[in-house]
Amino acid sequence: MNSRQSMDEIAIDLMQFRRALGNFATGVTIVTAQNDQGEKVGVTANSFNSVSLDPPLILWSIDKNSSSFSVFEQATHFAVNILSGSQIELSNKFSRRNIDKYEGTSYQTGAGKAPVLDHCSAVFECERHEIIEGGDHWIIIGKVVKFHDQGRSPLVYHQGAYSGVIPHPLLQLKDTVQAEPEDLGQLHQGHLYSNVCYLMSRAFKFYQTDYIPKQLVTGFRTSEARLLLVLGSGTASNKADLPRDIAMPMREVEQAATILKKDGLMVESDGFFKLTEKGKKTAHYLFDIADSHQNEVFEKYPEQEKEVFIKILKDIAGIA
């Protein structure tokens, strides 16, 4: 083959090309719109990207063969819903065809009647700005007119599989080094390192450094995850007792409960909370994460020492 042969003359294996593109990890979005006739559409897409800050422009692309394109073309606005780690089921739902994607889906109506999905990591409400042809796809550019930043850990897609975001180990190592200057506690080191309050606080901080990111990857906030774990363990269901067991103010407990009820994970009756079957499965998943991390931390200790340690913590915490 002539080395000067142009790239467009070289046959590209489409499957290998797609697999190579899969090395670029992306977030997962559901792009939604509604036309004047009330037809609502929504498609799962990972082609979302930013274009410009001033003016605020974003883009995404849709297959030319998609039956949803006509509505996106007709609608004045669309919404890009960036999914959280807890919304895999929703992502799969909107990737299917020939179903009512909005049946049982929790959403609000945004700019230009575009559906705005609940409990996402972020949402960008956009005015349709321009549609450009791009090979076998249409590239749709939108001007952001409103956005919502929920701060939830996003759902990630990499090499054809869902994934999640956790801090890179090198960053954690860097933070640890910065937090441990050579002269830390030199003056009263012996006394400080035998102080129970100091050791418990420090141990808790280091334990959570690795554990909390694993929990947040699920897309649940800490308050929501704690509520699911407490209800799943059966230690408390009375609303009045939950702030004590979750270690958060009642306001945060109520906010978490509202979201979990809306997602069909729990129900409330006469001041008591109860997990639904979906909630029980989710709590079981969260317990697996918690147990796995605990086992990693204690794997170098004999089982007897672990049991003594847990007994001491229970005594200090006033748990029978």
Side-chain angles (χ1 to χ4, degrees):
M1 181 179 68
N2 191 321
S3 60
R4 296 178 180 176
Q5 188 174 6
S6 62
M7 285 298 296
D8 60 358
E9 293 177 313
I10 301 175
I12 291 182
D13 186 311
L14 297 183
M15 290 299 294
Q16 290 187 9
F17 179 54
R18 185 167 187 164
R19 192 176 302 116
L21 290 174
N23 287 305
F24 182 63
T26 69
V28 183
T29 74
I30 292 177
V31 188
T32 56
Q34 181 174 186
N35 61 17
D36 288 338
Q37 289 71 46
E39 294 178 274
K40 293 191 295 290
V41 293
V43 296
T44 300
N46 67 340
S47 57
F48 167 76
N49 214 327
S50 62
V51 175
S52 167
L53 292 177
D54 187 15
L57 301 177
I58 58 88
L59 65 75
W60 69 288
S61 61
I62 184 171
D63 193 307
K64 286 184 175 179
N65 294 321
S66 173
S67 59
S68 300
F69 174 69
S70 61
V71 175
F72 283 110
E73 187 178 31
Q74 297 161 10
T76 60
H77 295 70
F78 62 87
V80 179
N81 304 269
I82 298 180
L83 301 187
S84 72
S86 66
Q87 295 177 308
I88 290 177
E89 186 178 331
L90 195 63
S91 172
N92 290 335
K93 180 179 182 180
F94 274 78
S95 67
R96 300 189 191 107
R97 298 184 179 185
N98 303 318
I99 65 167
D100 183 355
K101 299 177 181 179
Y102 289 93
E103 182 181 0
T105 299
S106 181
Y107 69 94
Q108 314 296 322
T109 301
K113 302 179 182 178
V116 174
L117 306 181
D118 291 337
H119 314 319
C120 294
S121 290
V123 178
F124 296 92
E125 298 182 44
C126 304
E127 178 183 14
R128 179 166 49 78
H129 181 72
E130 188 175 1
I131 298 179
I132 302 172
E133 187 173 10
D136 56 9
H137 278 60
W138 292 109
I139 302 170
I140 302 179
I141 301 176
K143 181 178 181 181
V144 179
V145 296
K146 189 176 182 181
F147 67 90
H148 316 268
D149 184 355
Q150 304 297 330
R152 295 175 180 273
S153 183
L155 185 61
V156 175
Y157 196 69
H158 175 246
Q159 284 291 20
Y162 292 118
S163 186
V165 177
I166 60 173
H168 196 284
L170 289 180
L171 292 179
Q172 295 185 25
L173 178 62
K174 180 180 177 182
D175 290 342
T176 301
V177 172
Q178 289 177 343
E180 298 290 338
E182 292 182 3
D183 61 346
L184 177 64
Q186 289 296 316
L187 186 60
H188 298 289
Q189 181 173 334
H191 181 74
L192 183 63
Y193 286 0
S194 62
N195 182 278
V196 173
C197 182
Y198 169 77
L199 290 175
M200 288 178 65
S201 298
R202 180 163 171 169
F204 181 69
K205 175 185 175 183
F206 275 83
Y207 189 92
Q208 294 223 111
T209 296
D210 291 329
Y211 171 60
I212 292 299
K214 296 175 183 177
Q215 188 183 79
L216 292 176
V217 162
T218 64
F220 292 104
R221 292 192 178 100
T222 300
S223 58
E224 297 159 13
R226 287 186 185 178
L227 181 53
L228 285 166
L229 289 170
V230 168
L231 294 178
S233 67
T235 54
S237 61
N238 189 321
K239 186 175 179 180
D241 294 336
L242 289 172
R244 176 201 64 197
D245 290 336
I246 297 178
M248 287 187 168
M250 177 60 80
R251 176 179 56 82
E252 293 193 36
V253 173
E254 291 176 337
Q255 290 176 349
T258 298
I259 291 172
L260 296 181
K261 284 188 286 187
K262 208 167 187 180
D263 284 348
L265 297 172
M266 58 166 281
V267 293
E268 181 180 1
S269 177
D270 297 327
F272 285 83
F273 293 145
K274 181 180 179 182
L275 293 181
T276 62
E277 287 303 314
K278 180 180 178 182
K280 291 177 183 177
K281 291 179 181 178
T282 304
H284 181 74
Y285 171 52
L286 291 170
F287 272 117
D288 283 345
I289 294 174
D291 291 344
S292 175
H293 183 70
Q294 179 172 304
N295 291 337
E296 287 178 16
V297 172
F298 285 97
E299 64 181 355
K300 61 182 179 181
Y301 302 101
E303 186 65 25
Q304 185 177 2
E305 290 186 9
K306 173 184 171 182
E307 291 176 358
V308 170
F309 178 74
I310 292 176
K311 182 181 184 303
I312 292 173
L313 288 179
K314 285 183 176 180
D315 288 343
I316 294 175
I319 299 174

